[in-house]
Structures are given as C-alpha cells and as structure tokens.
Amino acid sequence: MKTFGVSFRPHDDEAVAILSGSDTCRIGAHQIIGNVRLDDRASLEARIGSLPPRSSDLEICLRAYIAWGDACVNFIQGDFSFVIWDETRRRVLGVRDHLGVRAFHYALVRGTLYISDSIDWILSQEAVPRDLDDVWIGDFLMVGFGLDFERSVRRHVSRLAPAHILDFSSKGLTTRRYWRLEIGDPVRFGKRADYVDRFRELLHQAVRDRLPAGRVGIAMSGGLDSTTLAAATVDVTNEPSRIVTECIHYSDSLQDEEGHFSRLVADKLNVELSLREASDSVYDPLWRARGINTAEPTPTIVQAYPNMVFAQRNRELASVWFFGEGPDDALPFDRDPYLSWLISRRDWKGYGLALADYARVKGIAGWRKTFLRAQRPGRKPGVDADNIPAWISPEFEREMRLSERLADLGRSRPAPHWKPSAIRAFSDPIWPALFDTLRVGEMAGGPEWRHPFLDLRLLQYLISLPTIPWAWRKDILRQAMRDKLPSEVLSRDKTPLVDQPLRAPLMKHGFPPLSGAPAFERYVQLEALPRHYSPTDHLDRVIFAHALDYWLSCD
C-alpha cells in the first residue's frame, strides 16, 4: 500500500518534500498529496464543474479546495487523509476523513512540520525525537489502545483526530473540527416498505462507490451484517463470480457454527467461500521470534505472522475486501430513551404506534424470554474488571492516575437524545484503533479494507431510523434481506463466541520469556506479571503487557 510523507518549512521557497512513490497532483500554485477514495464522486464533480477526463480522486479534492477553500470539506465524503500546499497563501491544509479510516500523523519540531500516514516515516526524519508518551502507554496497558484521539505512543508525534483540519503557516499550527455526528428527529415514511427500499438504495450506493475494478472480497461470518453486505454486493455487481468470501471460525476449539451458516449464504448467493479454521492460528507460540515490528504496540502481535500469511493470500484473491462493522453500533435498541423522547414531544400517536410495533416485532418468543428473565433471582455483582492489575507499577499508576482515568471510561454521556448509544459509540476512539489494526495488515502486503456500512449517507440513515421497530434485532436488515438470505440466517440471534479464542492456546503454550528491556520496568512489576495464563487473570491486559514488552525490545 502507498504511503505519503511531507515536510514543510513555511519560509522556504520550496516547502513541499514528497516521499517517492506517493500519489500527488499539482495545479498551478496548489499541490496535494495523500490517500483518497471518494464517495458520491458524481455529485462532487457536478458541483465543481468542468473537469479533465480521468481525473483522480486526489485531483478532485484539490480542485474542490481551489473552488471553495477550506469549505471544500463540506462536500467531500469517503476515506481520506491528504495535505494541500497553498503556495499563494504560504499555508498547509491537512484533512482527515470523518471517522478516521485513513491515518494522519504529524510532528512539529523546531519550526518544521512533518506529516505522514506513517509514524515510521515521521520518525525516520532525524530531527524528530523518539520519546515515549506515558499517557498513551498507560491507556494501552488498560484497554489496548489510546483513549485520546490526538496522542500516539511517541510524545512528539500527534494524530490528527477524525473529522479535523490542520492549518499550518508562519502564524503557527492550529487544528479544528469540521464535522460531528448529529441526529435530528427520526426519519419518517408513510409506508413500512419505504424504509426498506431506502435502506437498500443507500446500501447499494455505498457498495457501488467502494467496488474495485476486478474481484472483491468480503469478510463474512454467518451473522446478519456481513451476509447482508455480501447479498448487496451480488445485487450491485450482478456477477457472483466477482465475489470471494472468507469465514473465520473456531469450530475445533469453540464449536461455533459460523462455518455452517456462512456456507448456507454462499450457496444461496452462488459466491466463492473460503472457510478458515482459526483455532491454531489465533495464537503464534513463536510470535516473539518472528521479528515483526509495528509503529505502535499492538495486542495482535501474538497472531501477526499467521495474519500476515493469510492477508497476503487474500490479496492474491482480491485487492479490496469489505468489512461489515457498523450496524451493531448504528442500530442499538435504545427503547426507553426513544419512548421517553416521544413522551417529551407529546407525540401520543407515535408513542402508541411504537408500543404496538414493539409488541409485534418482539413476538411470543421474545416476551417469553423476558418473562423467564424476570423469574430468575438477581445475580450478585462479579469482580470489577476495571481494577488496576497487581502487576502495574504503583509509581506509574499514581503518576498517570490510571484509576481515575479508568473510572472516567463510560462516564461521558451525550446530551439527552432518543438514540444516545449510537452517538456515544461513534465518538469512541476504538474506531480509529480498529482501522489502525487493519492498516497493519495492508502495510504487510494484505488487501485494502473498505467499510460500506460506514458510508456517511447510509450511517446517518441507519442512526436516524426510529428505534422501534427497526433497531429491534436489526429488523431493518432482516426485512431488507427477506428474499436474499436463507431463513436460518434471518431468524438467527446474534451469537457471540462462548469463550475467548486465545484462552486455550495460552493455557497450552503460555507466554515466551520477557525481553528484559529496561524501559519495561517503569510500567510493570516484572515479578508479578503472569508468565502462564490462569483463569483468574484479566487475559486481555496480560497480553497488552507482553505486547508492550516486545515492542520496547524492538524499539
């Protein structure tokens, strides 16, 4: 995958230094560099007017800036991070997409600004210090990624937050938000079929805008989201032979049924399916000996080698793969906030219809489950998973105030709203962290990942659907796929894995010895860190600690 890196010194005659091999375009006194994939390109072209034939997405972004200045971000949608050098104004404009799908890092050192989608490129510049950011590391040890959108593991290298603009000139550097996810009143149609038709229309647009020229891959479980994506892709292409799907399952260790359900879907859609049994590849006992380096610590390092092998194989099957994340967060069943909102609006007709819809979609089976839950005795609260592990250095914990930082997790509440969970979910730094994880595979020779459900047109629509009935078991997807997917899949409840896939291999193999990196002792009491997995351990956090030790040993 291409990457870009630039440096700017606003007083120099030539202020742009371009990393060889990156996409770039120059029009008069304006130059752009970056990674761009546009949605709804036709509408943007129509707004701009006359364009040269075969203009790239990058060139269209530059022409949008020339036409509208900073306001160009009001018309650009897709996955992008790009930098514009405006020679007439002697300023740099950097832009990152709305959800942070594309990476954007920068460092300002002694008046020179370094920008790249690669932390490694920035650190390759001799002037940039490599000091660690202990706040980011504290977050990593607790949750596996940074909780601040702007921080990285390097104190002098920052991230541009999603939906933000960077502005740099002789006046200094500033950043500002250009967009935030906002939801108005629920969308209303006269007929139920209109809701389904609009969903299909937007999903097809999202898929169409992301299709590559050749084959396309789809990461497909046996659940509703990814199979809906596969069915929509068959509809849009009308060429099942262009589509290859892969289902990762753990039938050997966890007896999950994803392979069975994904086979039903592949047979109905007539698409190619690869079943990958991942029980033996979810943990690589030799992970420390592989010598794989990443720009930041990552818990996926324990499976990085088998993931790279499969990613390179998948790249041979298709250069672009679709990822089905999105509907779970866009369609939370916020029943009580929605009903309370209707009452606050004195919408008694809407309230009555919502109750009737709820009784209908829940059905006899759903009400029976509710009744049975009500008969069970209350469960005693379990162990608080947010406790600080005993192996964290007490001095580091006090200095970083980890207890207070953990206590703040989940406290932030959106303003009163009829769908608060969706607003909160898409304001979570876990999304950019997910994209960073996928990017590691892209940089290792894997395919490019694209996310149709995160198309802003479709995402805004899903979030704006009335909670009742459409968010109950993601009913909008089930109704839209009634004639597309097998009935066994449409009637299936969401089925999480019965256990963590890593648990069994860690009990068998344990962790390799620690590296002895001196820097690690600042964060962890070595004698207290588990070397072998125990059911009493917080498994994820033990992995985070070992992953940090490995990363420090490679730094």
Side-chain angles (χ1 to χ4, degrees), residues 22-181:
S22 297
D23 291 333
T24 184
C25 173
R26 188 177 188 97
I27 301 174
H30 302 90
Q31 187 168 4
I32 188 171
I33 187 170
N35 287 317
V36 176
R37 187 207 56 78
L38 291 176
D39 287 331
D40 199 11
R41 174 175 158 144
S43 296
L44 184 55
E45 289 177 334
R47 283 180 177 273
I48 295 173
S50 178
L51 286 170
R54 296 184 295 277
S55 297
S56 68
D57 286 359
L58 197 68
E59 179 179 347
I60 290 174
C61 288
L62 182 57
R63 291 187 180 276
Y65 172 77
I66 294 172
W68 303 306
D70 293 9
C72 68
V73 296
N74 298 328
F75 309 107
I76 296 172
Q77 294 186 18
D79 310 331
F80 51 81
S81 61
F82 62 82
V83 184
I84 293 174
W85 166 242
D86 186 336
E87 191 172 328
T88 57
R89 297 173 61 185
R90 307 293 295 176
R91 58 92 67 127
V92 170
L93 178 76
V95 185
R96 191 179 185 192
D97 63 68
H98 302 73
L99 297 177
V101 174
R102 289 295 169 212
F104 191 115
H105 308 282
Y106 66 94
L108 181 58
V109 181
R110 295 194 293 275
T112 298
L113 178 65
Y114 303 92
I115 300 178
S116 179
D117 54 355
S118 166
I119 291 179
D120 286 339
W121 184 88
I122 293 179
L123 293 176
S124 72
Q125 310 306 301
E126 187 176 347
V128 180
R130 301 176 64 88
D131 307 45
L132 301 178
D133 186 319
D134 284 347
V135 174
W136 191 97
I137 289 177
D139 289 347
F140 179 79
L141 288 172
M142 293 297 98
V143 300
F145 55 88
L147 296 176
D148 293 333
F149 285 102
E150 299 82 5
R151 291 183 182 272
S152 81
V153 71
R154 305 291 181 177
R155 187 158 58 89
H156 296 277
V157 179
S158 300
R159 283 179 163 84
L160 184 64
H164 274 66
I165 284 175
L166 176 148
D167 191 335
F168 179 62
S169 68
S170 58
K171 297 179 181 178
L173 185 149
T174 60
T175 63
R176 64 177 176 86
R177 177 186 287 272
Y178 66 83
W179 174 89
R180 68 178 65 248
L181 183 63

Side-chain angles (χ1 to χ4, degrees), residues 49 94 116 118 135 146 182 221 244 250 256 363 421 450 472 478 484 527 553:
S116 179
S118 166
V135 174
E182 294 179 347
S221 70
V244 57
Y250 304 93
D256 77 292
S421 297
R450 295 180 182 174
W472 170 255
R478 297 178 193 275
K484 304 290 183 181
E527 68 281 1
S553 72

